[in-house]
Amino acid sequence: NRRRFEDELLRFFREFDRNDQHDRQGRQGRRERQGALLFFDLDEFKAINDTFGHRIGDSVLVRVGSDVQALVRQNETLCRLGGDEFAVLMPHASVEDAQRLAERIVRAISQGPLCIEGQNLRLTTSLGIALAPQHADNADDLVAHADAAMYQAKRLGKNCWSVYRPDHHASQETIT
């Protein structure tokens, strides 16, 4: 799944670069190509694994993946990157599109109690949004900025989303 994500992200930037070259050569009218990366994890997920075990934790991850997959469009890519980290690549999305999907994901994950071994638990997520080309013009920076935005959401109290802000980057996250 991580490999597919990396491939899709590289494909996005190759197309982005190719369109940019065409624009500079005057072959096409100037079209603004943009996209978004949503990066999220489950708040306090370690407690689920520690309390109920990894088998139950894995079933929670499968359920979250299924719930979020139902929200993404056909041209968007949802991947589980590892542990409880997920990403959605939105190749033709405005900031408003990304914010709408982020809100739907946060709401869907926290929507109802999850019954695990007779106990009702509420899941929450923190989600970060980074935009291309506004926040990054390459895959590594886009991922780093979406991750930093996720930590910005955690600092805001969790169970929310945040758009990347360069003035609140990771160097500040590690100090607090």
Side-chain angles (χ1 to χ4, degrees), residues 84-105:
D84 65 326
E85 292 181 335
F86 294 84
V88 178
L89 178 62
M90 302 175 71
H92 304 284
S94 67
V95 66
E96 293 84 8
D97 295 332
Q99 290 170 331
R100 278 191 295 274
L101 180 57
E103 184 62 35
R104 291 181 14 232
I105 290 170

Side-chain angles (χ1 to χ4, degrees), residues 140-176:
D140 290 338
D141 287 346
L142 190 65
V143 170
H145 294 166
D147 185 53
M150 179 186 71
Y151 282 100
Q152 292 166 5
K154 288 185 182 298
R155 279 198 8 238
L156 291 171
K158 302 179 182 174
N159 197 34
C160 64
W161 54 268
S162 178
V163 176
Y164 175 70
R165 290 185 47 193
D167 57 328
H168 290 92
H169 194 63
S171 61
Q172 295 173 348
E173 317 304 333
T174 57
I175 295 170
T176 57

Side-chain angles (χ1 to χ4, degrees), residues 21-76:
Q21 284 178 337
H22 285 190
D23 290 344
R24 282 194 303 266
Q25 294 170 0
R27 292 183 187 156
Q28 297 177 358
R30 183 79 177 142
R31 283 185 302 147
E32 285 300 315
R33 178 159 168 102
Q34 57 187 5
L37 177 63
L38 282 57
F39 195 90
F40 64 98
D41 71 9
L42 300 177
D43 298 325
E44 312 301 334
F45 181 71
K46 183 179 182 316
I48 291 174
N49 274 339
D50 290 349
T51 304
F52 299 103
H54 290 277
R55 185 179 58 77
I56 298 294
D58 288 347
S59 69
V60 169
L61 295 173
V62 168
R63 178 177 167 186
V64 167
S66 176
D67 290 350
V68 174
Q69 184 64 52
L71 301 174
V72 300
R73 295 181 182 141
Q74 190 171 4
N75 70 325
E76 299 166 348

